[in-house]
Amino acid sequence: MQTTLNNPVALCHSPPAWTDKLVASREKLAKLRAEFLTSAGSCLTIIFSLIFPGKTIIMTIPEIMAELTPYTGRFPRAAMAAAIEQREAITPELLRVVEAVAADPVEYAKREDDMLLVFALFLLAHFRETRAYAPIIKMMSAPGEIPELLVGDTITQDLSRILASVYDGNPAPLRSLAEHADVDEFVCGAAIETFVVLAHTGRMPRDEVVAYFRALYREKLRRTEAFIVIWDALTGCVLDLPAPELLPEVRQAYADGLVDPYFEDLENIERDLSPESLREPKQFTLITDAIAETEWWAAFDPQEPWAGDNPLEPVIPATELEPPWLDPVIDVPPEPFRREPKIGRNEPCPCGSGKKYKKCCGQG
C-alpha cells in the first residue's frame, strides 16, 4: 500500500516523514509560547486585552506553574488569575509542590529565587484546601531557620491566617507545632496566633481557645527565658482574642520573668483587659484573595528602592549587624543643652542688623 495523501488509511497507519516535522514544529511552537508567557506574561495579557477587549488568554497548568516559579521582580498577575480560574485543575499540582517540600524541606530551602511554594500556600489558602493543612504543618516543623528560608516573612505576616484557612478541624497537629521545642520560635508564635484566627472566624469555639491558652500558661510551654518570644506571642494573643479571664496567668508569667517587659507593660495589659477598657478586638480574617494578599509586596513595586530583591531572602538579625549608634559617620554625640543668655529687648539684635532686638528678631 502506497503512503500517499490519496490513501487516508495508509496515512493513519504509516504517517509520512513530513508529519514528524509538523509535530516537531508544533512542539517547538508550544515551547516558545510557554517561554514567552513565563518571561512576559503580564505584558502579553495587557496587549491582548487591548486588542481583544473582554477576551482572556487561556494559560495551561504547566504555563501557570512555570510563571509562578521564578522571582522576576514583577508580580505574576496573569498566572495568579489563571490559577484561580482553573482551581480544580491546578489544586493537585499545588498540593504536590507543598507535599514535596514537606518531604524534604532542607533540600528545597537551598533553592534561590523560587516563589512557587509561597504562591502555592496563598492559593491553597484561598481555595480552603484542607488537604494542605498537614503538609504545611510538617514543613513548618523543620528545625532551625529552614522555615524562614522556605517562606521568609510569610511566617510572621500571614502564616497564622494561611493555617486557619486550610484548617481541617483537627487541632492536634497545630498544638504540636505551637509546643514544639525545636521549631523556630516565630513559627510557634504563628501557630498560637492561628487559634485566635480560628476563634475570630468561627472555626473554633472561643472557650476551646481560652482553655488551650490556659494550658499553655500552666503546663504546656517551657517556663524558661529561652522561650521568651513564644511567651510574648501568647500574651499578645490573649490581648487579641481578647481573654480577660486569663489575666491571672498573664500576671504569673510576668512575675516569673517569662514575658519581655519591653514587649508590653503589665500595667497596660491589665488596663486593656479590664471591663472598663475592653474594646472591640482587632479581627483576624482568613485568606480570601490570593492576589490582593501578595501583589502589594514591596519586592514587586518598581518604585521601591529594594525592588528586585528576593522577598524570601532572610533578614539579617539585628544582633548580627553593627548597631547604628556605633557608626562613627552618623553617630555624632549631641551637644549638652546649654541655655542661651537672655537678650534684652533694648540690646542690639544679634543678627547684625544694627537695630534693637525688640525692633528686629524680637518682634515675634
Side-chain angles (χ1 to χ4, degrees), residues 28-199:
K28 185 176 181 180
L29 182 61
K31 182 178 179 182
L32 289 173
R33 178 171 177 262
E35 291 176 352
F36 179 74
L37 285 171
T38 300
S39 62
S42 297
C43 293
L44 179 62
T45 302
I46 294 172
I47 295 171
F48 188 90
S49 63
L50 291 174
I51 300 175
F52 305 104
K55 303 294 183 179
T56 58
I57 298 176
I58 304 301
M59 296 177 68
T60 67
I61 299 303
E63 288 170 351
I64 296 172
M65 300 292 281
E67 176 80 358
L68 296 179
T69 299
Y71 173 63
T72 62
R74 61 174 179 79
F75 181 69
R77 170 177 285 276
M80 288 290 282
I84 294 172
E85 186 177 350
Q86 301 180 60
R87 169 179 175 171
E88 290 187 7
I90 202 168
T91 293
E93 300 302 320
L94 298 176
L95 283 171
R96 270 191 277 274
V97 171
V98 174
E99 290 165 353
V101 176
D104 193 356
V106 176
E107 183 60 32
Y108 192 91
K110 297 176 183 177
R111 301 186 183 185
E112 297 182 358
D113 297 332
D114 192 321
M115 294 293 296
L116 183 57
L117 174 62
V118 173
F119 286 131
L121 293 180
F122 278 94
L123 286 167
L124 291 169
H126 179 137
F127 299 157
R128 302 289 181 274
E129 182 49 68
T130 57
R131 288 175 292 178
Y133 179 62
I136 292 176
I137 286 184
K138 183 178 179 181
M139 78 168 70
M140 289 295 108
S141 300
E145 63 178 0
I146 297 302
E148 182 184 2
L149 293 174
L150 290 174
V151 298
D153 287 344
T154 301
I155 293 174
T156 53
Q157 298 294 327
D158 299 296
L159 180 57
S160 61
R161 297 172 61 230
I162 290 173
L163 286 170
S165 297
V166 300
Y167 179 63
D168 67 359
N170 180 11
L174 188 58
R175 291 175 179 173
S176 178
L177 183 63
E179 303 162 26
H180 204 305
D182 299 324
V183 170
D184 178 271
E185 54 197 4
F186 293 104
V187 171
C188 292
I192 294 172
E193 188 177 74
T194 303
F195 287 93
V196 178
V197 185
L198 291 172

Side-chain angles (χ1 to χ4, degrees), residues 5 12 14 18 39 89 106 172 271:
L5 290 176
C12 290
S14 180
W18 62 267
S39 62
V106 176
R271 183 189 65 245

